[in-house]
Amino acid sequence: MNQQQYIKETLYALCKAYVVQRIETAQQAMDAAQEAANSESKSSAGDKYETGRAMAQLERDRNAQLLAEALKVERDLKQIQIDKNYEAAQPGSVVVTNRGAFFISIGAGKLSLNGKEYFAVSPASPISTALAGRKAGESITFNKLPYQILEVY
């Protein structure tokens, strides 16, 4: 396996771990909120019971939404093809610029690999949109800053 393929596979694995962590955290929080709603015991003040139960239900619903978002990100990640080299910036490619390296995949943020930083960005992100279709040797201006594309793979 060449170095570029190793980098892409490792970045993909880091993104996958990020997604799994998000799913687990949301699931645990949702379960805890459900448990709180179920264990809210009736007290002499009925309103207090109903309020506590409603708050726990809201918390559970909020965590269910976070879980749904995390599952969508997981589906998006599964769509990314990393097994080929790209000439132009697109989902699944790594774009190395004079201002950083970007893995166009999901919005997982900064990832460190062998002492080098990469930014996992969603294809819909502003930087990905600016880079889309660009090749090594081209340049873009993003946030009023010039970016020179050094390498795409």
Side-chain angles (χ1 to χ4, degrees), residues 7-8 12 19 21 44 51 53 55 58 66 75 78 81 83 94-95 103 114 119 121 131 144 150:
I7 289 169
K8 283 170 59 168
Y12 185 89
V19 169
Q21 181 61 43
S44 56
T51 300
R53 212 169 150 78
M55 301 258 310
L58 284 173
L66 291 174
R75 282 191 305 276
K78 286 179 179 176
Q81 293 184 3
D83 55 347
V94 173
V95 182
F103 177 43
N114 299 335
F119 295 92
V121 293
L131 290 168
K144 300 179 183 171
L150 306 174

PDB file of all heavy atoms in Angstrom, residues 7-8 12 19 21 44 51 53 55 58 66 75 78 81 83 94-95 103 114 119 121 131 144 150:
ATOM      1  N   ILE A   7      -2.580   7.000   4.259  1.00  0.00           N
ATOM      2  CA  ILE A   7      -3.091   8.218   4.896  1.00  0.00           C
ATOM      3  C   ILE A   7      -4.616   8.259   4.792  1.00  0.00           C
ATOM      4  O   ILE A   7      -5.311   8.494   5.783  1.00  0.00           O
ATOM      5  CB  ILE A   7      -2.456   9.478   4.256  1.00  0.00           C
ATOM      6  CG1 ILE A   7      -0.981   9.576   4.669  1.00  0.00           C
ATOM      7  CG2 ILE A   7      -3.212  10.746   4.663  1.00  0.00           C
ATOM      8  CD1 ILE A   7      -0.180  10.623   3.908  1.00  0.00           C
ATOM      9  N   LYS A   8      -5.148   7.996   3.594  1.00  0.00           N
ATOM     10  CA  LYS A   8      -6.601   8.044   3.414  1.00  0.00           C
ATOM     11  C   LYS A   8      -7.308   6.996   4.257  1.00  0.00           C
ATOM     12  O   LYS A   8      -8.322   7.277   4.895  1.00  0.00           O
ATOM     13  CB  LYS A   8      -6.954   7.877   1.941  1.00  0.00           C
ATOM     14  CG  LYS A   8      -6.700   9.163   1.168  1.00  0.00           C
ATOM     15  CD  LYS A   8      -6.784   9.055  -0.311  1.00  0.00           C
ATOM     16  CE  LYS A   8      -8.052   8.589  -0.876  1.00  0.00           C
ATOM     17  NZ  LYS A   8      -8.147   8.778  -2.335  1.00  0.00           N
ATOM     18  N   TYR A  12      -9.821   7.869   7.274  1.00  0.00           N
ATOM     19  CA  TYR A  12     -11.164   7.293   7.221  1.00  0.00           C
ATOM     20  C   TYR A  12     -11.470   6.571   8.545  1.00  0.00           C
ATOM     21  O   TYR A  12     -12.556   6.723   9.109  1.00  0.00           O
ATOM     22  CB  TYR A  12     -11.290   6.334   6.035  1.00  0.00           C
ATOM     23  CG  TYR A  12     -12.684   5.793   5.831  1.00  0.00           C
ATOM     24  CD1 TYR A  12     -13.600   6.475   5.042  1.00  0.00           C
ATOM     25  CD2 TYR A  12     -13.090   4.602   6.433  1.00  0.00           C
ATOM     26  CE1 TYR A  12     -14.886   5.979   4.845  1.00  0.00           C
ATOM     27  CE2 TYR A  12     -14.370   4.104   6.238  1.00  0.00           C
ATOM     28  CZ  TYR A  12     -15.261   4.803   5.449  1.00  0.00           C
ATOM     29  OH  TYR A  12     -16.543   4.313   5.274  1.00  0.00           O
ATOM     30  N   VAL A  19     -17.409   9.061  14.504  1.00  0.00           N
ATOM     31  CA  VAL A  19     -18.846   8.825  14.330  1.00  0.00           C
ATOM     32  C   VAL A  19     -19.354   7.816  15.357  1.00  0.00           C
ATOM     33  O   VAL A  19     -20.402   8.029  15.977  1.00  0.00           O
ATOM     34  CB  VAL A  19     -19.159   8.342  12.895  1.00  0.00           C
ATOM     35  CG1 VAL A  19     -20.584   7.852  12.773  1.00  0.00           C
ATOM     36  CG2 VAL A  19     -18.893   9.449  11.893  1.00  0.00           C
ATOM     37  N   GLN A  21     -18.172   7.200  18.279  1.00  0.00           N
ATOM     38  CA  GLN A  21     -18.199   7.871  19.580  1.00  0.00           C
ATOM     39  C   GLN A  21     -19.438   8.760  19.704  1.00  0.00           C
ATOM     40  O   GLN A  21     -20.101   8.770  20.742  1.00  0.00           O
ATOM     41  CB  GLN A  21     -16.916   8.703  19.776  1.00  0.00           C
ATOM     42  CG  GLN A  21     -16.850   9.422  21.113  1.00  0.00           C
ATOM     43  CD  GLN A  21     -16.866   8.480  22.296  1.00  0.00           C
ATOM     44  OE1 GLN A  21     -16.191   7.460  22.295  1.00  0.00           O
ATOM     45  NE2 GLN A  21     -17.654   8.790  23.302  1.00  0.00           N
ATOM     46  N   SER A  44     -46.305  14.015  46.334  1.00  0.00           N
ATOM     47  CA  SER A  44     -47.569  14.613  46.756  1.00  0.00           C
ATOM     48  C   SER A  44     -47.918  15.807  45.868  1.00  0.00           C
ATOM     49  O   SER A  44     -49.082  16.129  45.697  1.00  0.00           O
ATOM     50  CB  SER A  44     -47.489  15.034  48.225  1.00  0.00           C
ATOM     51  OG  SER A  44     -46.392  15.910  48.382  1.00  0.00           O
ATOM     52  N   THR A  51     -43.838  17.849  35.611  1.00  0.00           N
ATOM     53  CA  THR A  51     -42.796  18.733  35.083  1.00  0.00           C
ATOM     54  C   THR A  51     -41.483  17.967  34.927  1.00  0.00           C
ATOM     55  O   THR A  51     -40.825  18.056  33.892  1.00  0.00           O
ATOM     56  CB  THR A  51     -42.591  19.951  36.012  1.00  0.00           C
ATOM     57  OG1 THR A  51     -43.822  20.658  36.098  1.00  0.00           O
ATOM     58  CG2 THR A  51     -41.522  20.874  35.481  1.00  0.00           C
ATOM     59  N   ARG A  53     -41.069  14.785  34.599  1.00  0.00           N
ATOM     60  CA  ARG A  53     -41.233  13.793  33.531  1.00  0.00           C
ATOM     61  C   ARG A  53     -41.161  14.453  32.150  1.00  0.00           C
ATOM     62  O   ARG A  53     -40.531  13.932  31.233  1.00  0.00           O
ATOM     63  CB  ARG A  53     -42.579  13.102  33.716  1.00  0.00           C
ATOM     64  CG  ARG A  53     -42.574  11.702  33.265  1.00  0.00           C
ATOM     65  CD  ARG A  53     -43.841  10.982  33.720  1.00  0.00           C
ATOM     66  NE  ARG A  53     -44.148   9.957  32.762  1.00  0.00           N
ATOM     67  CZ  ARG A  53     -43.520   8.797  32.703  1.00  0.00           C
ATOM     68  NH1 ARG A  53     -42.569   8.526  33.552  1.00  0.00           N
ATOM     69  NH2 ARG A  53     -43.831   7.912  31.794  1.00  0.00           N
ATOM     70  N   MET A  55     -39.620  17.252  31.421  1.00  0.00           N
ATOM     71  CA  MET A  55     -38.236  17.695  31.186  1.00  0.00           C
ATOM     72  C   MET A  55     -37.376  16.512  30.749  1.00  0.00           C
ATOM     73  O   MET A  55     -36.573  16.631  29.831  1.00  0.00           O
ATOM     74  CB  MET A  55     -37.644  18.320  32.453  1.00  0.00           C
ATOM     75  CG  MET A  55     -38.406  19.513  32.956  1.00  0.00           C
ATOM     76  SD  MET A  55     -37.704  21.094  32.597  1.00  0.00           S
ATOM     77  CE  MET A  55     -36.050  20.978  33.105  1.00  0.00           C
ATOM     78  N   LEU A  58     -38.180  15.722  27.169  1.00  0.00           N
ATOM     79  CA  LEU A  58     -37.547  16.695  26.261  1.00  0.00           C
ATOM     80  C   LEU A  58     -36.072  16.369  26.073  1.00  0.00           C
ATOM     81  O   LEU A  58     -35.549  16.448  24.949  1.00  0.00           O
ATOM     82  CB  LEU A  58     -37.706  18.119  26.802  1.00  0.00           C
ATOM     83  CG  LEU A  58     -39.083  18.750  26.647  1.00  0.00           C
ATOM     84  CD1 LEU A  58     -39.148  20.089  27.383  1.00  0.00           C
ATOM     85  CD2 LEU A  58     -39.424  18.939  25.177  1.00  0.00           C
ATOM     86  N   LEU A  66     -29.894  14.074  18.305  1.00  0.00           N
ATOM     87  CA  LEU A  66     -28.430  13.979  18.163  1.00  0.00           C
ATOM     88  C   LEU A  66     -28.038  12.607  17.613  1.00  0.00           C
ATOM     89  O   LEU A  66     -27.135  12.507  16.771  1.00  0.00           O
ATOM     90  CB  LEU A  66     -27.740  14.225  19.508  1.00  0.00           C
ATOM     91  CG  LEU A  66     -27.810  15.645  20.062  1.00  0.00           C
ATOM     92  CD1 LEU A  66     -27.218  15.703  21.467  1.00  0.00           C
ATOM     93  CD2 LEU A  66     -27.111  16.621  19.139  1.00  0.00           C
ATOM     94  N   ARG A  75     -23.903   7.333   7.708  1.00  0.00           N
ATOM     95  CA  ARG A  75     -24.311   6.973   6.340  1.00  0.00           C
ATOM     96  C   ARG A  75     -23.502   7.765   5.312  1.00  0.00           C
ATOM     97  O   ARG A  75     -23.071   7.214   4.299  1.00  0.00           O
ATOM     98  CB  ARG A  75     -25.806   7.227   6.129  1.00  0.00           C
ATOM     99  CG  ARG A  75     -26.695   6.149   6.730  1.00  0.00           C
ATOM    100  CD  ARG A  75     -28.138   6.273   6.276  1.00  0.00           C
ATOM    101  NE  ARG A  75     -28.735   7.576   6.535  1.00  0.00           N
ATOM    102  CZ  ARG A  75     -29.288   7.939   7.681  1.00  0.00           C
ATOM    103  NH1 ARG A  75     -29.328   7.104   8.695  1.00  0.00           N
ATOM    104  NH2 ARG A  75     -29.821   9.144   7.822  1.00  0.00           N
ATOM    105  N   LYS A  78     -20.058   6.322   4.953  1.00  0.00           N
ATOM    106  CA  LYS A  78     -20.042   5.063   4.206  1.00  0.00           C
ATOM    107  C   LYS A  78     -20.094   5.287   2.690  1.00  0.00           C
ATOM    108  O   LYS A  78     -19.689   4.410   1.926  1.00  0.00           O
ATOM    109  CB  LYS A  78     -21.198   4.162   4.648  1.00  0.00           C
ATOM    110  CG  LYS A  78     -20.970   3.548   6.015  1.00  0.00           C
ATOM    111  CD  LYS A  78     -22.123   2.679   6.436  1.00  0.00           C
ATOM    112  CE  LYS A  78     -21.849   2.071   7.804  1.00  0.00           C
ATOM    113  NZ  LYS A  78     -22.978   1.283   8.300  1.00  0.00           N
ATOM    114  N   GLN A  81     -15.640   7.096  -1.027  1.00  0.00           N
ATOM    115  CA  GLN A  81     -14.750   6.105  -1.632  1.00  0.00           C
ATOM    116  C   GLN A  81     -13.309   6.567  -1.455  1.00  0.00           C
ATOM    117  O   GLN A  81     -12.927   7.614  -1.967  1.00  0.00           O
ATOM    118  CB  GLN A  81     -15.060   5.940  -3.118  1.00  0.00           C
ATOM    119  CG  GLN A  81     -16.400   5.324  -3.382  1.00  0.00           C
ATOM    120  CD  GLN A  81     -16.616   5.088  -4.872  1.00  0.00           C
ATOM    121  OE1 GLN A  81     -15.755   5.335  -5.687  1.00  0.00           O
ATOM    122  NE2 GLN A  81     -17.796   4.595  -5.208  1.00  0.00           N
ATOM    123  N   ASP A  83     -10.710   4.268  -1.975  1.00  0.00           N
ATOM    124  CA  ASP A  83      -9.837   3.273  -2.588  1.00  0.00           C
ATOM    125  C   ASP A  83      -9.264   3.700  -3.941  1.00  0.00           C
ATOM    126  O   ASP A  83      -8.616   2.910  -4.605  1.00  0.00           O
ATOM    127  CB  ASP A  83     -10.576   1.941  -2.722  1.00  0.00           C
ATOM    128  CG  ASP A  83     -11.888   2.079  -3.468  1.00  0.00           C
ATOM    129  OD1 ASP A  83     -12.348   3.227  -3.672  1.00  0.00           O
ATOM    130  OD2 ASP A  83     -12.468   1.047  -3.836  1.00  0.00           O
ATOM    131  N   VAL A  94      -7.915  13.702  -0.533  1.00  0.00           N
ATOM    132  CA  VAL A  94      -7.129  14.512   0.396  1.00  0.00           C
ATOM    133  C   VAL A  94      -6.547  15.642  -0.436  1.00  0.00           C
ATOM    134  O   VAL A  94      -5.966  15.408  -1.499  1.00  0.00           O
ATOM    135  CB  VAL A  94      -6.001  13.694   1.067  1.00  0.00           C
ATOM    136  CG1 VAL A  94      -5.099  14.596   1.895  1.00  0.00           C
ATOM    137  CG2 VAL A  94      -6.594  12.594   1.944  1.00  0.00           C
ATOM    138  N   VAL A  95      -6.730  16.870   0.026  1.00  0.00           N
ATOM    139  CA  VAL A  95      -6.227  18.043  -0.679  1.00  0.00           C
ATOM    140  C   VAL A  95      -5.202  18.715   0.231  1.00  0.00           C
ATOM    141  O   VAL A  95      -5.535  19.160   1.323  1.00  0.00           O
ATOM    142  CB  VAL A  95      -7.370  19.034  -1.019  1.00  0.00           C
ATOM    143  CG1 VAL A  95      -6.832  20.231  -1.796  1.00  0.00           C
ATOM    144  CG2 VAL A  95      -8.477  18.336  -1.793  1.00  0.00           C
ATOM    145  N   PHE A 103      -9.239  16.456   4.318  1.00  0.00           N
ATOM    146  CA  PHE A 103      -9.807  15.182   3.902  1.00  0.00           C
ATOM    147  C   PHE A 103     -11.290  15.435   3.697  1.00  0.00           C
ATOM    148  O   PHE A 103     -12.034  15.697   4.654  1.00  0.00           O
ATOM    149  CB  PHE A 103      -9.570  14.114   4.973  1.00  0.00           C
ATOM    150  CG  PHE A 103     -10.174  12.770   4.664  1.00  0.00           C
ATOM    151  CD1 PHE A 103     -10.087  12.204   3.405  1.00  0.00           C
ATOM    152  CD2 PHE A 103     -10.822  12.056   5.660  1.00  0.00           C
ATOM    153  CE1 PHE A 103     -10.637  10.960   3.122  1.00  0.00           C
ATOM    154  CE2 PHE A 103     -11.370  10.803   5.400  1.00  0.00           C
ATOM    155  CZ  PHE A 103     -11.279  10.263   4.124  1.00  0.00           C
ATOM    156  N   ASN A 114       0.546  10.811  12.390  1.00  0.00           N
ATOM    157  CA  ASN A 114       2.009  10.844  12.292  1.00  0.00           C
ATOM    158  C   ASN A 114       2.566  12.255  12.453  1.00  0.00           C
ATOM    159  O   ASN A 114       3.451  12.684  11.709  1.00  0.00           O
ATOM    160  CB  ASN A 114       2.473  10.255  10.953  1.00  0.00           C
ATOM    161  CG  ASN A 114       2.061   8.804  10.801  1.00  0.00           C
ATOM    162  OD1 ASN A 114       1.851   8.101  11.788  1.00  0.00           O
ATOM    163  ND2 ASN A 114       1.937   8.356   9.567  1.00  0.00           N
ATOM    164  N   PHE A 119      -7.637  18.168   8.278  1.00  0.00           N
ATOM    165  CA  PHE A 119      -8.966  18.613   8.666  1.00  0.00           C
ATOM    166  C   PHE A 119      -9.988  17.801   7.882  1.00  0.00           C
ATOM    167  O   PHE A 119     -10.017  17.856   6.655  1.00  0.00           O
ATOM    168  CB  PHE A 119      -9.144  20.113   8.396  1.00  0.00           C
ATOM    169  CG  PHE A 119      -8.245  20.960   9.233  1.00  0.00           C
ATOM    170  CD1 PHE A 119      -7.004  21.338   8.753  1.00  0.00           C
ATOM    171  CD2 PHE A 119      -8.616  21.346  10.513  1.00  0.00           C
ATOM    172  CE1 PHE A 119      -6.148  22.104   9.527  1.00  0.00           C
ATOM    173  CE2 PHE A 119      -7.766  22.108  11.296  1.00  0.00           C
ATOM    174  CZ  PHE A 119      -6.527  22.487  10.808  1.00  0.00           C
ATOM    175  N   VAL A 121     -13.386  17.501   6.553  1.00  0.00           N
ATOM    176  CA  VAL A 121     -14.433  18.466   6.267  1.00  0.00           C
ATOM    177  C   VAL A 121     -15.520  17.828   5.398  1.00  0.00           C
ATOM    178  O   VAL A 121     -15.239  16.981   4.555  1.00  0.00           O
ATOM    179  CB  VAL A 121     -13.871  19.736   5.566  1.00  0.00           C
ATOM    180  CG1 VAL A 121     -12.958  20.514   6.513  1.00  0.00           C
ATOM    181  CG2 VAL A 121     -13.127  19.386   4.288  1.00  0.00           C
ATOM    182  N   LEU A 131     -12.831  24.304  -2.846  1.00  0.00           N
ATOM    183  CA  LEU A 131     -11.817  23.408  -3.406  1.00  0.00           C
ATOM    184  C   LEU A 131     -12.364  22.486  -4.498  1.00  0.00           C
ATOM    185  O   LEU A 131     -11.590  21.971  -5.316  1.00  0.00           O
ATOM    186  CB  LEU A 131     -11.204  22.542  -2.294  1.00  0.00           C
ATOM    187  CG  LEU A 131     -10.314  23.248  -1.278  1.00  0.00           C
ATOM    188  CD1 LEU A 131     -10.025  22.323  -0.092  1.00  0.00           C
ATOM    189  CD2 LEU A 131      -9.024  23.728  -1.918  1.00  0.00           C
ATOM    190  N   LYS A 144     -10.698  35.404   2.140  1.00  0.00           N
ATOM    191  CA  LYS A 144      -9.751  36.448   1.742  1.00  0.00           C
ATOM    192  C   LYS A 144      -8.291  36.018   1.834  1.00  0.00           C
ATOM    193  O   LYS A 144      -7.394  36.840   1.820  1.00  0.00           O
ATOM    194  CB  LYS A 144      -9.982  37.733   2.550  1.00  0.00           C
ATOM    195  CG  LYS A 144     -11.371  38.315   2.367  1.00  0.00           C
ATOM    196  CD  LYS A 144     -11.570  39.559   3.191  1.00  0.00           C
ATOM    197  CE  LYS A 144     -13.007  40.056   3.032  1.00  0.00           C
ATOM    198  NZ  LYS A 144     -13.325  41.125   3.941  1.00  0.00           N
ATOM    199  N   LEU A 150      -1.259  22.039  -3.453  1.00  0.00           N
ATOM    200  CA  LEU A 150       0.017  21.397  -3.709  1.00  0.00           C
ATOM    201  C   LEU A 150      -0.155  19.967  -4.220  1.00  0.00           C
ATOM    202  O   LEU A 150       0.632  19.490  -5.034  1.00  0.00           O
ATOM    203  CB  LEU A 150       0.857  21.389  -2.430  1.00  0.00           C
ATOM    204  CG  LEU A 150       1.061  22.745  -1.744  1.00  0.00           C
ATOM    205  CD1 LEU A 150       1.768  22.585  -0.421  1.00  0.00           C
ATOM    206  CD2 LEU A 150       1.798  23.700  -2.656  1.00  0.00           C
TER     207      LEU A 150
END
